[in-house]
Amino acid sequence: MLTLTQVQNKSSAKLAGLNPAVHAAAAALIERCYACGIPILITQGLRTMAEQDTLYAQGRTKPGAIVTNARGGYSYHNYGLAVDFALLLPDGKNVSWDMLRDGNEDRLADWGQVVQIAKTFGFEWGGDWSGFKDFSHLQMTFGLALDRLRAGERPSEAAMAAVNDLLKKNETLIKEDKAVVAVHVNGVKAADGVLDKGITYVPARMLAEAMGGKISYDPKTRTVNITLPGEKN
């Protein structure tokens, strides 16, 4: 199982060049989702105008399916104000765009959980758009329409500070409600847990895999089964 640092490193290149507040929110999203047992990968961050035009041509003048309705300059990606994400699979190499996947087996779709966390950090979700829906897309507009961005206007310091304040508020609420603790196995961080009234709660899958075990869930009996190396079911 990948550590938090390994998951973070996989997205670091895509976070480069983002607006500082968007960068901070995306980094917080990766960490919070990991703590929920949902590792994610940022698959797209800043996109140049030329890259945007190439993507727009796909399915129109070039082979492939149409994946965007935005030309260069008409996407918040072009200004470092948007990211795309995918679910990082347990092998740490492949990703999934399956919106029904429940990798942490909490009976909730991982995708929806990521989106809800992102919204608490101030992101808008492309899945809420009335027209062309972009389900992997998250953006922050800071109240700026694209025509204003094309004219050279950029988010104000006050607008970016508001996002950073929101991130701090979210972090404070979690710490005040229940203490977030790091759970280590053999000296290596396996997951973030929650300490509540002397009991530490940690995602079972992450803990089992950190010990080299396998985990499964029986919905009929509502039983989580953990098998450690050398043991039999």
Side-chain angles (χ1 to χ4, degrees):
M1 185 196 76
L2 296 180
T3 65
L4 174 58
T5 298
Q6 289 173 321
V7 172
Q8 291 169 324
N9 289 342
K10 284 182 173 293
S11 291
S12 61
K14 294 299 183 182
L15 297 183
L18 289 175
N19 170 280
V22 177
H23 185 290
L29 179 64
I30 293 170
E31 185 169 353
R32 181 71 62 80
C33 289
Y34 183 88
C36 294
I38 310 173
I40 64 171
L41 180 72
I42 301 301
T43 59
Q44 182 66 67
L46 176 66
R47 186 186 295 143
T48 67
M49 302 293 185
E51 290 171 337
Q52 188 69 42
D53 284 333
T54 297
L55 196 62
Y56 179 79
Q58 182 177 315
R60 294 181 173 88
T61 59
K62 293 186 177 180
I66 291 178
V67 293
T68 181
N69 282 340
R71 295 185 175 87
Y74 288 79
S75 169
Y76 283 95
H77 280 292
N78 305 149
Y79 307 96
L81 303 180
V83 297
D84 293 340
F85 75 92
L87 304 175
L88 187 61
L89 295 178
D91 63 8
K93 299 177 181 179
N94 297 300
V95 296
S96 171
W97 285 272
D98 181 0
M99 295 179 64
L100 299 179
R101 176 179 167 77
D102 180 19
N104 61 354
E105 298 184 344
D106 62 356
R107 296 193 169 188
L108 296 172
D110 295 347
W111 199 276
Q113 290 179 275
V114 175
V115 169
Q116 291 306 313
I117 294 171
K119 288 181 176 181
T120 67
F121 292 157
F123 280 110
E124 298 175 14
W125 180 42
D128 287 330
W129 296 343
S130 58
F132 179 87
K133 294 184 181 296
D134 191 345
F135 295 105
S136 65
H137 182 88
L138 301 168
Q139 67 181 33
M140 291 187 182
T141 68
F142 298 96
L144 297 174
L146 286 164
D147 59 344
R148 293 171 65 182
L149 291 170
R150 288 194 297 274
E153 195 170 348
R154 294 296 181 267
S156 66
E157 291 295 330
M160 291 189 291
V163 172
N164 288 323
D165 287 343
L166 182 61
L167 296 177
K168 291 178 182 178
K169 181 179 179 181
N170 270 278
E171 183 178 357
T172 300
L173 287 174
I174 290 177
K175 289 182 178 180
E176 288 179 348
D177 183 33
K178 297 172 184 176
V180 177
V181 297
V183 178
H184 291 246
V185 174
N186 295 326
V188 179
K189 183 175 181 180
D192 283 323
V194 175
L195 180 61
D196 183 22
K197 298 178 181 179
I199 300 175
T200 301
Y201 299 89
V202 63
R205 177 175 294 280
M206 290 188 168
L207 191 59
E209 292 179 349
M211 295 187 292
K214 295 182 179 180
I215 188 169
S216 61
Y217 176 69
D218 185 343
K220 293 182 179 180
T221 61
R222 293 188 176 184
T223 303
V224 174
N225 298 298
I226 296 176
T227 304
L228 298 178
E231 301 291 335
K232 296 182 179 180
N233 286 321

Short mmCIF file of all heavy atoms in Angstrom, two decimals, residues 1-4 34 182-185 187-192 202-203 206-211:
data_model
loop_
_atom_site.label_atom_id
_atom_site.label_comp_id
_atom_site.label_asym_id
_atom_site.label_seq_id
_atom_site.Cartn_x
_atom_site.Cartn_y
_atom_site.Cartn_z
N MET A 1 0.83 -1.19 0.00
CA MET A 1 0.00 0.00 0.00
C MET A 1 0.87 1.25 0.00
O MET A 1 1.90 1.29 0.68
CB MET A 1 -0.91 0.02 1.24
CG MET A 1 -1.89 1.16 1.26
SD MET A 1 -2.60 1.42 2.90
CE MET A 1 -1.21 2.23 3.70
N LEU A 2 0.48 2.24 -0.75
CA LEU A 2 1.26 3.47 -0.82
C LEU A 2 1.09 4.29 0.45
O LEU A 2 0.01 4.34 1.04
CB LEU A 2 0.81 4.31 -2.02
CG LEU A 2 1.06 3.70 -3.41
CD1 LEU A 2 0.55 4.67 -4.47
CD2 LEU A 2 2.53 3.42 -3.63
N THR A 3 2.16 4.95 0.86
CA THR A 3 2.07 5.88 1.98
C THR A 3 1.48 7.19 1.48
O THR A 3 1.38 7.44 0.27
CB THR A 3 3.45 6.14 2.57
OG1 THR A 3 4.26 6.82 1.59
CG2 THR A 3 4.14 4.83 2.97
N LEU A 4 1.11 8.07 2.40
CA LEU A 4 0.58 9.37 2.02
C LEU A 4 1.60 10.14 1.19
O LEU A 4 1.25 10.77 0.18
CB LEU A 4 0.20 10.18 3.27
CG LEU A 4 -0.22 11.63 3.03
CD1 LEU A 4 -1.41 11.71 2.09
CD2 LEU A 4 -0.51 12.32 4.35
N TYR A 34 -7.07 10.68 1.35
CA TYR A 34 -6.24 9.57 1.79
C TYR A 34 -6.64 9.12 3.20
O TYR A 34 -6.72 7.93 3.49
CB TYR A 34 -4.76 9.97 1.76
CG TYR A 34 -3.80 8.86 2.12
CD1 TYR A 34 -3.31 7.99 1.15
CD2 TYR A 34 -3.39 8.67 3.43
CE1 TYR A 34 -2.43 6.95 1.48
CE2 TYR A 34 -2.51 7.65 3.78
CZ TYR A 34 -2.04 6.79 2.80
OH TYR A 34 -1.17 5.78 3.13
N ALA A 182 -1.57 10.07 13.37
CA ALA A 182 -0.88 9.26 12.37
C ALA A 182 -0.71 7.84 12.92
O ALA A 182 -0.26 7.66 14.05
CB ALA A 182 0.49 9.85 12.05
N VAL A 183 -1.09 6.84 12.13
CA VAL A 183 -0.97 5.45 12.54
C VAL A 183 0.19 4.83 11.77
O VAL A 183 0.20 4.82 10.53
CB VAL A 183 -2.27 4.66 12.24
CG1 VAL A 183 -2.10 3.20 12.62
CG2 VAL A 183 -3.44 5.28 13.01
N HIS A 184 1.20 4.33 12.49
CA HIS A 184 2.40 3.76 11.87
C HIS A 184 2.43 2.25 12.07
O HIS A 184 2.01 1.74 13.12
CB HIS A 184 3.66 4.38 12.48
CG HIS A 184 3.86 5.82 12.12
ND1 HIS A 184 4.90 6.25 11.35
CD2 HIS A 184 3.13 6.93 12.41
CE1 HIS A 184 4.83 7.57 11.19
NE2 HIS A 184 3.75 8.00 11.83
N VAL A 185 2.93 1.55 11.09
CA VAL A 185 3.17 0.11 11.17
C VAL A 185 4.64 -0.12 10.89
O VAL A 185 5.15 0.23 9.82
CB VAL A 185 2.30 -0.67 10.15
CG1 VAL A 185 2.68 -2.15 10.18
CG2 VAL A 185 0.83 -0.51 10.46
N GLY A 187 7.10 1.51 11.96
CA GLY A 187 7.80 2.77 11.75
C GLY A 187 7.43 3.52 10.49
O GLY A 187 7.95 4.61 10.24
N VAL A 188 6.52 2.99 9.70
CA VAL A 188 6.10 3.63 8.44
C VAL A 188 4.64 4.03 8.55
O VAL A 188 3.80 3.23 8.97
CB VAL A 188 6.28 2.67 7.25
CG1 VAL A 188 5.81 3.34 5.96
CG2 VAL A 188 7.74 2.27 7.12
N LYS A 189 4.33 5.28 8.18
CA LYS A 189 2.96 5.74 8.29
C LYS A 189 2.06 4.94 7.35
O LYS A 189 2.31 4.82 6.16
CB LYS A 189 2.87 7.23 7.93
CG LYS A 189 1.46 7.79 8.10
CD LYS A 189 1.40 9.29 7.86
CE LYS A 189 -0.02 9.81 8.04
NZ LYS A 189 -0.10 11.27 7.83
N ALA A 190 0.98 4.38 7.92
CA ALA A 190 0.04 3.59 7.13
C ALA A 190 -1.20 4.39 6.78
O ALA A 190 -1.76 4.24 5.69
CB ALA A 190 -0.37 2.34 7.91
N ALA A 191 -1.63 5.26 7.70
CA ALA A 191 -2.86 6.03 7.46
C ALA A 191 -3.02 7.08 8.54
O ALA A 191 -2.33 7.06 9.56
CB ALA A 191 -4.08 5.11 7.45
N ASP A 192 -3.94 8.00 8.29
CA ASP A 192 -4.36 8.93 9.33
C ASP A 192 -5.56 8.30 10.03
O ASP A 192 -6.50 7.81 9.38
CB ASP A 192 -4.77 10.28 8.73
CG ASP A 192 -3.56 11.11 8.35
OD1 ASP A 192 -2.57 11.06 9.10
OD2 ASP A 192 -3.60 11.79 7.32
N VAL A 202 -9.29 3.80 12.39
CA VAL A 202 -8.42 3.88 11.22
C VAL A 202 -9.05 3.02 10.11
O VAL A 202 -9.67 1.99 10.40
CB VAL A 202 -7.00 3.39 11.55
CG1 VAL A 202 -7.02 1.91 11.97
CG2 VAL A 202 -6.03 3.59 10.39
N PRO A 203 -8.93 3.44 8.83
CA PRO A 203 -9.47 2.62 7.75
C PRO A 203 -8.90 1.20 7.79
O PRO A 203 -7.68 1.02 7.74
CB PRO A 203 -9.02 3.37 6.49
CG PRO A 203 -8.91 4.79 6.94
CD PRO A 203 -8.37 4.71 8.33
N MET A 206 -6.47 0.09 4.87
CA MET A 206 -5.11 0.64 4.90
C MET A 206 -4.26 -0.07 5.95
O MET A 206 -3.09 -0.37 5.72
CB MET A 206 -5.16 2.13 5.18
CG MET A 206 -5.71 2.94 4.02
SD MET A 206 -5.53 4.70 4.30
CE MET A 206 -5.91 5.32 2.66
N LEU A 207 -4.86 -0.33 7.11
CA LEU A 207 -4.11 -0.99 8.17
C LEU A 207 -3.77 -2.43 7.79
O LEU A 207 -2.64 -2.89 7.98
CB LEU A 207 -4.93 -0.98 9.47
CG LEU A 207 -4.19 -1.41 10.73
CD1 LEU A 207 -2.99 -0.51 10.98
CD2 LEU A 207 -5.13 -1.37 11.92
N ALA A 208 -4.73 -3.14 7.21
CA ALA A 208 -4.49 -4.52 6.82
C ALA A 208 -3.42 -4.62 5.75
O ALA A 208 -2.51 -5.46 5.84
CB ALA A 208 -5.79 -5.15 6.31
N GLU A 209 -3.51 -3.77 4.73
CA GLU A 209 -2.55 -3.82 3.64
C GLU A 209 -1.15 -3.39 4.09
O GLU A 209 -0.14 -3.87 3.58
CB GLU A 209 -3.04 -2.96 2.48
CG GLU A 209 -4.28 -3.55 1.80
CD GLU A 209 -4.79 -2.69 0.65
OE1 GLU A 209 -4.30 -1.55 0.50
OE2 GLU A 209 -5.67 -3.17 -0.09
N ALA A 210 -1.09 -2.49 5.07
CA ALA A 210 0.20 -2.06 5.61
C ALA A 210 0.91 -3.21 6.32
O ALA A 210 2.13 -3.26 6.42
CB ALA A 210 0.02 -0.89 6.56
N MET A 211 0.10 -4.16 6.82
CA MET A 211 0.66 -5.34 7.49
C MET A 211 0.82 -6.52 6.53
O MET A 211 1.08 -7.63 6.95
CB MET A 211 -0.23 -5.74 8.67
CG MET A 211 -0.28 -4.69 9.78
SD MET A 211 -1.18 -5.24 11.26
CE MET A 211 -2.85 -5.34 10.62
#
